[in-house]
Amino acid sequence: MDNVYIDEVETFIVDLPVKRPHQLAMTTITTQAIVIAIIKDKSGRTGVGEVATIGGASYGDSTVEAIKANVDKYIAPHLIDQSPIRFSKIMAMVGKHVRGNLFAKAVIEMALIDLAAKQREIPAYQLFGGKIHDSLPLAWTLASGDTAKDIEEAEEMLHKKRHNIFKLKIGHGDPGANVRHVGEIVKAVGGQSRITVDINQAWDEYIAARQIRALEEMGVSMIEQPLPAWNYEGMKRLTEKFDISILADESTTSLHDTYRIIKERAGDAVALKPAKHGGVLETKKIAGIAEGAGFGIYGGTMIESTVGNAIAASVYSTISEFKFGTEIFGPLLYRDRLTLEEIKVENFEIQIPDDIGFGNTLDYDKLHHYKR
Ligand SMILES: [Mg+2]
């Protein structure tokens, strides 16, 4: 192989518009802010990574501005003249020099793996275990903020055989009214689909205990992050109290946080997201400890565009069992994309791309059009 060593690292902040407002507990998304990292080797080949953030600093403490600044100043210099196939070693070295910054580490590690796979002309999943699944169940999030519109959207998705798992974002506004909204959706489409809810940390333990009982009786199959991320004890009590699955999302970031959740049983399922864990390798470790503890695994999303979504699909394809399926629908919410490739969904499942690297060909005109 000619010159495989890293020559250049570039990062871009991109604001991509979505098709409809996406209402969550802490923000309503109209454009999504993402960071694209491009690592170039000395022969001009490029590896690409993407991390998305939700609502500025309202979902988590990584913002696109901080991610870009910290990659450019503190991470990128460690990459120059390294060979990307040593991505584990490079990331271990970065870990010694840079604390935290999980999103910043993730976007770089993704681009390293993509480049290493492209240099070998193999799909990226072959560098971290190989593919188990050719496709995975794909949930859709109903979050228009309007019950009738949500039902119409769900019926359309069922008809197109795109989704038969629906997640409802119900942390915004009055808990009782939101639970009634869930009831109406369950009544309309619950017979043909599975319904889950995401509170995004918005309830306290008292409200959660009341509302989860009602949700359980309706036949909702999973409650995601009902309490603030810090409230491990409350999550443990809810997990003990109810049969319904309690999924930890915002509280499951680093490997160490996840270990604590598992040890304290502060939930009984974890939502994976390569960005929040610090990359592909950390996501695989988290899946491993969750599997060892008998926790359910859910393939989560930060609502990435096609680039990051293909990366998540590739990682999830190497993990043995998703008790609750995945929600890597991001590209379907966007009005445009930065790659030539599109997401493929057939018979309610996302198809795992088998192209070289993570299967993303960047459209540089689009990148320059949407970059900040
Ligand atoms: Mg969530």
Side-chain angles (χ1 to χ4, degrees), residues 225-268:
Q225 198 71 50
L227 304 183
W230 57 264
N231 196 351
Y232 287 59
E233 291 177 10
M235 288 280 278
K236 177 183 167 65
R237 284 188 289 268
L238 294 177
T239 305
E240 282 168 354
K241 192 174 183 130
F242 296 104
D243 293 332
I244 192 168
S245 229
I246 307 286
L247 178 78
D249 180 11
E250 285 92 328
S251 56
T252 319
T253 54
S254 69
L255 182 63
H256 311 294
D257 291 340
T258 311
Y259 168 70
R260 194 178 147 201
I261 283 164
I262 287 173
K263 182 162 178 272
E264 297 180 12
R265 297 269 150 185
D268 52 24

Side-chain angles (χ1 to χ4, degrees), residues 105-178:
K105 287 171 181 166
V107 75
I108 283 302
E109 189 219 51
M110 291 164 180
L112 283 172
I113 295 175
D114 188 43
L115 180 54
K118 282 177 180 160
Q119 289 175 345
R120 279 155 190 77
E121 301 186 349
I122 54 173
Y125 54 66
Q126 289 190 14
L127 295 177
F128 46 86
K131 186 170 74 158
I132 298 171
H133 311 280
D134 293 312
S135 65
L136 283 165
L138 182 63
W140 179 247
T141 296
L142 298 172
S144 73
D146 180 282
T147 308
K149 256 191 214 160
D150 280 356
I151 291 173
E152 202 180 303
E153 205 173 280
E155 284 169 343
E156 188 193 332
M157 298 305 172
L158 285 164
H159 179 73
K160 287 183 175 163
K161 291 199 161 203
R162 224 178 77 178
H163 311 275
N164 56 7
I165 311 167
F166 298 109
K167 174 157 124 178
L168 313 186
K169 291 282 191 177
I170 61 166
H172 178 77
D174 177 60
N178 287 337

Side-chain angles (χ1 to χ4, degrees), residues 4 8 31 64 125 137 157-158 163 167 215 224-225 253 258 260 270 288 297 315 318 338 344 357 365:
V4 295
E8 194 185 13
T31 56
V64 286
Y125 54 66
M157 298 305 172
L158 285 164
H163 311 275
K167 174 157 124 178
L215 291 163
E224 185 168 339
Q225 198 71 50
T253 54
T258 311
R260 194 178 147 201
V270 294
I297 296 178
V315 181
T318 70
L338 304 175
K344 284 195 199 88
D365 291 340

Side-chain angles (χ1 to χ4, degrees), residues 15 52 74 210 217 230 253 257 264 339 347 358:
D15 295 296
Y74 299 107
R210 268 181 71 149
E217 281 166 10
W230 57 264
T253 54
D257 291 340
E264 297 180 12
T339 58
N347 205 18
F358 287 111

